[in-house]
Amino acid sequence: MNNPLKSILWWLGWIAILTGGAWLRFQDLGIRPFHADEAVNGLKLAELRESGVARYDPLHYHGNTLWLLSNGYLRLHPHADHTNPSESDLRSFSAIAGWMLLLIPLVGWKTFGRTSSLACGLILAGSPALLAINRTYIHESLFILCCIYGIAFMEKAPRSKHPLHWAIAGGVFWGLMASTKESWPLVLLCLGIGHGISRLFLGRNKADSGLKLRTTIRTWTWAISAALLTAIAMYSSWGRHPLGIRDALQTFFIYQNDPGHSKPWYYFLNLLFCSNRLGRWPTAEFLLIPFMIAGCHAMIRNVKREPAHLSWAITSLTLIGIHSMIPYKTPWLVTLPFVGIAFICSTGVKVILASKGFRIPSIVLLIVGSLIWGWAGYRSALLLPDHHSNRHAYSPTSPDVIRLTELIESIASLHPDGRNVPIDVIFPQDSNYWPLPWYLRDYKRAAWRNEIPESHSASIIIAPHDMHLSPKQWPTTDYITEMRGLRPGLILRVMIRRDLWIALMESKELGTDSQDANSEPKQTIRDS
């Protein structure tokens, strides 16, 4: 691109992509309550902050890297309270990881080509799937960032005058990837499959050169060593908990599938291209299909010149295929292969724009598609982030949880013990009461029970509304009951001691408490 005007337009396009991508990721991060998984990660970070050690659990949760790195990030954050970070503070770590992913096609524009680089950046910046995880404090954003940066550095190594530097950097990122989520072996397996199939295409085309990802044994030795040392440092919590290394290996032998997350094999195809909870309608990603087809064709045709492109495309499609065969599925699992899909589509954009007969229609289609894509990202991230029509809103927490937190805070302000007010949270053995532990973390006398106690003395009792109680199990003191939502399909019964509820109503009548307690009683529970 020697034309100065085209160069200026290209840079203006990238400024718009980076600015818009940042706005979509950082704007109003506290717009919705914490998801259950975010609450778990938030309390794991609090545990690390209190004890100084991140303890890996081989049965539950994921790797330590998210908590260790976000702990350091919050200490450096100029506006965050690292001792008691808010939801927005924690989510901003994922937002940064998501925004840093946009730099890959920009920095690698010589590999992508300027047109493909710009198209890939646009697709990544406005992707509803990526925005959903980039605005959520979970492991996926960091996992994807480390995986893609590792691939990029390992791709750069054989082209550089200093391959060991790039290989070590790539190994460090892959070590971080391995200590972020346990699904890293699947990624490496798919990379190997992509590499092998690409070599078959090279053989068919009688190419003499191997894949760009292939480096010398010495380079790979340094990369693997860097990855192992990094993963060991993370799993052992910087050496403070050596047993974490054993637990990291043990996790592959105790895998348990959660029936609540079991989905049919076509779940990801529906999620990407034709799933809408208001009906079976094409999604914004449906617009990418023509570019995917053109991109795959171009990658096969140009495999001799850029074999790594075809390798990454095959890797992404294989990863979707393997995840589709595994019963456990969440919308977040499709995000890493979607990065590969974005790369395939960006190649297709370049091919279609180069077609002389379709140039004008293609430009019009790209402009209209870009507007639709940007709207889809905005709608998913900011307009309806937890709405039932948003296919990426996976088991969202009800806004009622915020109102419940405000109600408990108001009651605590009237209780003589303040935040030491006794609270009983009663859930059956296998029920998921998250994210309540996060929102009640400052209430030290909150008791978490799987069985109904013989006597009730708590000022506040929280339980599922469909939890059946015999007359003898009702509280021995009059309580006022309110109903609050926790997530779709789960309603909470919130029982407040009558004297506290009356005091709360009186304080509101006097105007001393400005918070809305939604105080109309729906049921009075009397002594049995």
Side-chain angles (χ1 to χ4, degrees):
M1 185 184 289
N2 297 322
N3 189 322
L5 178 59
K6 289 184 178 180
S7 183
I8 291 173
L9 291 175
W10 185 80
W11 278 109
L12 289 176
W14 262 112
I15 290 172
I17 287 172
L18 294 177
T19 303
W23 183 75
L24 287 172
R25 282 159 177 79
F26 289 95
Q27 180 69 17
D28 290 336
L29 284 174
I31 197 173
R32 56 192 175 88
F34 250 17
H35 185 274
D37 290 357
E38 291 181 283
V40 171
N41 289 326
L43 290 184
K44 291 290 287 185
L45 177 60
E47 178 186 314
L48 165 63
R49 196 167 53 245
E50 293 173 2
S51 66
V53 176
R55 299 181 183 275
Y56 175 70
D57 185 333
L59 186 59
H60 301 287
Y61 318 125
H62 291 302
N64 296 342
T65 303
L66 175 68
W67 313 314
L68 289 169
L69 295 188
S70 56
N71 186 46
Y73 159 76
L74 291 171
R75 290 181 180 275
L76 298 175
H77 196 302
H79 305 295
D81 180 4
H82 77 272
T83 61
N84 188 23
S86 66
E87 289 86 347
S88 297
D89 294 335
L90 295 176
R91 285 170 173 165
S92 65
F93 179 80
S94 295
I96 287 177
W99 185 84
M100 288 179 65
L101 183 65
L102 305 182
L103 300 178
I104 286 289
L106 172 60
V107 175
W109 68 268
K110 290 184 178 180
T111 300
F112 284 75
R114 292 213 182 201
T115 301
S116 295
S117 167
L118 202 63
C120 187
L122 175 63
I123 294 171
L124 295 177
S127 165
L130 289 175
L131 287 171
I133 64 166
N134 293 163
R135 296 175 57 86
T136 306
Y137 184 59
I138 53 178
H139 295 72
E140 272 69 17
S141 294
L142 182 61
F143 183 75
I144 293 172
L145 179 71
C146 294
C147 174
I148 301 301
Y149 269 58
I151 292 173
F153 287 155
M154 294 303 296
E155 159 71 10
K156 179 69 175 178
R159 303 181 180 189
S160 171
K161 295 180 180 179
H162 306 285
L164 289 184
H165 298 169
W166 291 99
I168 291 172
V172 168
F173 274 104
W174 275 355
L176 293 173
M177 174 187 72
S179 53
T180 300
K181 281 191 67 180
E182 301 78 6
S183 55
W184 63 268
L186 288 180
V187 176
L188 297 185
L189 172 63
C190 292
L191 283 171
I193 293 174
H195 177 91
I197 295 179
S198 295
R199 286 192 63 82
L200 292 178
F201 277 95
L202 283 170
R204 190 187 69 181
N205 285 283
K206 298 181 180 180
D208 296 325
S209 60
L211 288 175
K212 300 292 185 180
L213 285 174
R214 187 186 64 193
T215 58
T216 63
I217 295 177
R218 180 167 173 260
T219 303
W220 273 106
T221 300
W222 279 97
I224 293 172
S225 300
L228 285 174
L229 290 174
T230 303
I232 288 172
M234 293 293 104
Y235 277 116
S236 67
S237 190
W238 304 114
R240 296 188 182 97
H241 183 57
L243 291 179
I245 303 170
R246 178 206 63 186
D247 295 336
L249 298 174
Q250 185 183 1
T251 190
F252 297 107
F253 302 96
I254 55 174
Y255 172 79
Q256 291 183 353
N257 181 47
D258 185 348
H261 295 293
S262 294
K263 308 289 191 305
W265 67 268
Y266 52 84
Y267 173 76
F268 292 128
L269 295 177
N270 268 344
L271 181 69
L272 282 176
F273 301 118
C274 58
S275 176
N276 187 301
R277 293 175 186 174
L278 298 180
R280 296 289 179 179
W281 298 96
T283 63
E285 287 86 350
F286 192 83
L287 297 172
L288 302 178
I289 291 179
F291 303 106
M292 284 182 61
I293 296 172
C296 288
H297 179 264
M299 287 176 175
I300 295 174
R301 187 180 58 195
N302 299 326
V303 65
K304 185 174 180 179
R305 188 170 66 250
E306 290 291 352
H309 290 187
L310 180 61
S311 176
W312 176 233
I314 294 172
T315 296
S316 303
L317 298 178
T318 304
L319 192 57
I320 290 181
I322 291 178
H323 275 307
S324 296
M325 292 186 291
I326 299 173
Y328 181 94
K329 296 180 183 69
T330 68
W332 306 322
L333 293 176
V334 80
T335 48
L336 176 56
F338 181 80
V339 176
I341 292 175
F343 177 52
I344 297 171
C345 293
S346 67
T347 303
V349 169
K350 180 180 179 180
V351 171
I352 291 176
L353 285 178
S355 302
K356 296 181 180 179
F358 299 96
R359 188 173 182 83
I360 300 300
S362 299
I363 292 175
V364 173
L365 175 63
L366 286 173
I367 293 174
V368 174
S370 298
L371 294 175
I372 294 175
W373 189 251
W375 166 253
Y378 168 73
R379 180 182 182 276
S380 175
L382 294 168
L383 194 61
L384 300 170
D386 278 346
H387 194 264
H388 66 89
S389 65
N390 185 350
R391 65 194 186 281
H392 298 290
Y394 189 64
S395 190
T397 301
S398 169
D400 263 3
V401 169
I402 302 299
R403 292 188 279 270
L404 172 61
T405 305
E406 294 171 350
L407 172 62
I408 294 174
E409 181 68 27
S410 298
I411 293 172
S413 67
L414 300 171
H415 195 277
D417 294 332
R419 288 195 171 182
N420 285 324
V421 55
I423 303 173
D424 273 358
V425 184
I426 308 170
F427 271 70
Q429 183 66 40
D430 296 326
S431 295
N432 185 353
Y433 46 66
W434 293 89
L436 289 180
W438 167 260
Y439 287 103
L440 299 180
R441 65 191 183 280
D442 293 329
Y443 297 88
K444 304 307 179 185
R445 294 180 65 188
W448 304 88
R449 307 180 187 276
N450 296 127
E451 297 180 355
I452 301 166
E454 294 182 359
S455 61
H456 296 275
S457 59
S459 300
I460 303 171
I461 300 173
I462 303 173
H465 84 288
D466 56 355
M467 195 172 190
H468 301 292
L469 302 178
S470 65
K472 294 182 179 180
Q473 292 173 316
W474 287 114
T476 57
T477 310
D478 279 358
Y479 281 78
I480 298 297
T481 294
E482 295 189 2
M483 298 299 183
R484 303 284 180 178
L486 182 61
R487 68 176 64 86
L490 181 52
I491 307 299
L492 297 178
R493 183 197 302 256
V494 182
M495 292 173 276
I496 307 161
R497 210 174 65 198
R498 174 177 286 275
D499 59 326
L500 288 173
W501 189 85
I502 292 174
L504 179 64
M505 296 302 101
E506 291 176 348
S507 70
K508 291 190 174 296
E509 290 178 1
L510 295 174
T512 58
D513 191 336
S514 61
Q515 294 188 1
D516 177 20
N518 291 342
S519 55
E520 288 298 324
K522 300 181 181 179
Q523 181 180 357
T524 302
I525 302 178
R526 300 188 179 279
D527 295 345
S528 57

